[in-house]
Amino acid sequence: MYAPPNIESGPGIAGRLKDLPGRVLVATMEIPWGLLQGQMPWRPHHVQMVTDMDLTRLESLETSLPLCDIVIGVGGGSCCDTAKYLAWKRGCRMILVPTIISVDAPLTNMIAVRVDNAVRYVGDIWPKEILVDHDLIRKAPAELNRAGAADIASIHTALYDWKLAGDLRGEAYHPEVADLARECLEELDRNAEEVFNVTPKGIDTIVDLYRREVEFCAGIGTSRPEEGSEHLIAYNLEHITRRHFVHGDLVALGIFLMTRLQQNRHEWAVDFMNRLGLRYRVPGGTKIDTAGATRDEIEQCLVTLKDFAQKTNLFFSVVDVRDISPAFIRESLAALYDRS
Ligand SMILES: [Zn+2]
């Protein structure tokens, strides 16, 4: 059952962790743990370094780690999701301390795990306590924090696809929820500069918009308001390349391409993404994503997109109704690479 989380934010707010009662187990990685220690030397009962999200690994962690009263996730999506897995299995108190806001994992009830190298979602635990430490988050690479805005900007393309599915397929469409989603998009627009500069206001905006998005999606039992054909681009590119990228970069590429296919305010969307600092060319070059996507890979992604959408049958979208012609692909790639 969804319950709104208690989110506390501020500079150095992770200092609260020191006063927790009982046995504390932390799931983290070297970099975020080093940052936290630099800010606040602290020795909890057990610190577990997260290496990967393989379901078998999580299962063995859960049985082999010492007993605890509180599980704390310190880091990005994998650290938060590992903490969620442990707290879900053990039924204990959980606190999440995101040190980067590139994904919405600190707000969602599901846990992204890997089985045979494919993403699968397991579990059901709504985070109740979240500490948003501005000092910690501002130490992460700015482009990765900005990437978090992509899963909110995706409302623009997702709403188009959702309405299309309602009109042509009779899928449940809730105009009042679409309005709530549109308000989130407008709020992001108003705060684009703060998001770009990763200011405290920008950080709080992203986290609050995630919270709102997660809440109205939970209310209707679908992520349709924020997940449409732009996510098909993201999933297909990972499927084709068998590599991982920054999720927000892929979604931004999806927004770039699908606003063209939808003929849905493409120029506005590109300007919006520029103001947010979203990297729709998927350039790579950061610590967790060194390769980036090539022009050939993006071309292949478009060539195979219709097939991918039909085979995976994830959701009905513009991809099912419009022709993705060689001319469309050529012009889209030219637009993607040739603009300054
Ligand atoms: Zn997403």
Side-chain angles (χ1 to χ4, degrees):
M1 227 356 226
Y2 176 80
N6 181 24
I7 302 173
E8 293 189 77
S9 78
I13 201 152
R16 301 255 181 104
L17 297 174
K18 273 189 161 172
D19 308 321
L20 292 170
R23 293 158 299 180
V24 174
L25 191 158
V26 175
T28 188
M29 287 185 186
E30 298 290 347
I31 292 174
W33 188 242
L35 290 177
L36 184 69
Q37 289 295 310
Q39 183 172 311
M40 167 191 114
W42 175 46
R43 290 192 145 274
H45 294 76
H46 188 85
V47 178
Q48 180 60 43
M49 291 296 157
V50 174
T51 52
D52 60 74
M53 293 305 290
D54 271 335
L55 185 56
T56 48
R57 167 109 50 192
L58 287 172
E59 285 165 350
S60 79
L61 271 185
E62 196 275 310
T63 51
S64 63
L65 284 173
L67 292 174
C68 61
D69 302 297
I70 310 177
V71 174
I72 300 177
V74 176
S78 297
C79 299
C80 289
D81 271 357
T82 299
K84 281 157 69 183
Y85 184 87
L86 295 171
W88 169 56
K89 283 287 180 183
R90 293 180 170 194
C92 65
R93 183 179 170 193
M94 173 179 77
I95 302 173
L96 299 180
V97 186
T99 59
I100 185 165
I101 47 166
S102 55
V103 290
D104 63 1
L107 281 302
T108 61
N109 62 326
M110 306 276 273
I111 300 149
V113 301
R114 289 198 179 261
V115 179
D116 297 329
N117 210 30
V119 176
R120 228 176 72 192
Y121 289 89
V122 301
D124 182 10
I125 175 168
W126 288 108
K128 290 195 186 111
E129 300 174 78
I130 304 168
L131 296 177
V132 178
D133 191 314
H134 296 152
D135 290 342
L136 276 178
I137 290 170
R138 296 190 73 175
K139 286 185 183 117
E143 64 272 20
L144 297 184
N145 279 324
R146 293 173 191 142
D151 268 336
I152 299 150
S154 63
I155 287 170
H156 177 62
T157 35
L159 284 185
Y160 178 103
D161 289 324
W162 190 25
K163 179 82 166 54
L164 195 71
D167 290 347
L168 300 183
R169 284 289 174 93
E171 231 181 79
Y173 176 78
H174 306 273
E176 72 288 356
V177 176
D179 285 343
L180 291 177
R182 220 168 274 117
E183 283 167 26
C184 288
L185 202 57
E186 287 160 9
E187 182 74 8
L188 182 62
D189 196 338
R190 279 190 292 274
N191 289 281
E193 197 180 334
E194 306 272 357
V195 169
F196 185 93
N197 292 323
V198 200
T199 63
K201 174 98 189 292
I203 293 168
D204 289 346
T205 298
I206 294 284
V207 173
D208 188 55
L209 291 175
Y210 276 158
R211 180 194 60 76
R212 286 159 64 173
E213 197 172 74
V214 164
E215 182 170 339
F216 60 67
C217 285
I220 54 172
T222 167
S223 51
R224 268 292 195 183
E226 57 99 6
E227 191 178 42
S229 52
E230 76 295 324
H231 271 78
L232 290 179
I233 291 279
Y235 302 144
N236 192 27
L237 199 61
E238 289 198 313
H239 173 73
I240 289 172
T241 60
R242 311 264 160 202
R243 300 204 306 277
H244 304 309
F245 303 88
V246 175
H247 181 67
D249 291 356
L250 293 180
V251 172
L253 170 66
I255 295 169
F256 186 99
L257 297 172
M258 292 301 100
T259 46
R260 292 181 70 88
L261 194 63
Q262 294 174 342
Q263 298 172 331
N264 179 15
R265 297 172 71 202
H266 173 72
E267 295 301 328
W268 171 82
V270 174
D271 176 66
F272 184 38
M273 291 197 287
N274 286 338
R275 287 188 289 123
L276 291 164
L278 293 181
R279 307 188 307 168
Y280 42 79
R281 290 193 191 94
V282 195
T286 52
K287 283 190 186 88
I288 60 164
D289 149 43
T290 49
T294 67
R295 187 171 180 142
D296 280 353
E297 286 166 346
I298 294 173
E299 181 174 357
Q300 270 314 301
C301 178
L302 283 169
V303 169
T304 58
L305 190 61
K306 227 180 223 306
D307 217 38
F308 178 79
Q310 268 151 20
K311 273 193 190 125
T312 54
N313 200 23
L314 287 168
F315 39 74
F316 184 81
S317 76
V318 67
V319 174
D320 296 290
V321 299
R322 291 254 166 92
D323 188 24
I324 302 178
S325 67
F328 172 83
I329 295 173
R330 198 171 52 242
E331 285 159 21
S332 298
L333 287 171
L336 180 64
Y337 288 103
D338 300 343
R339 70 169 69 228
S340 56

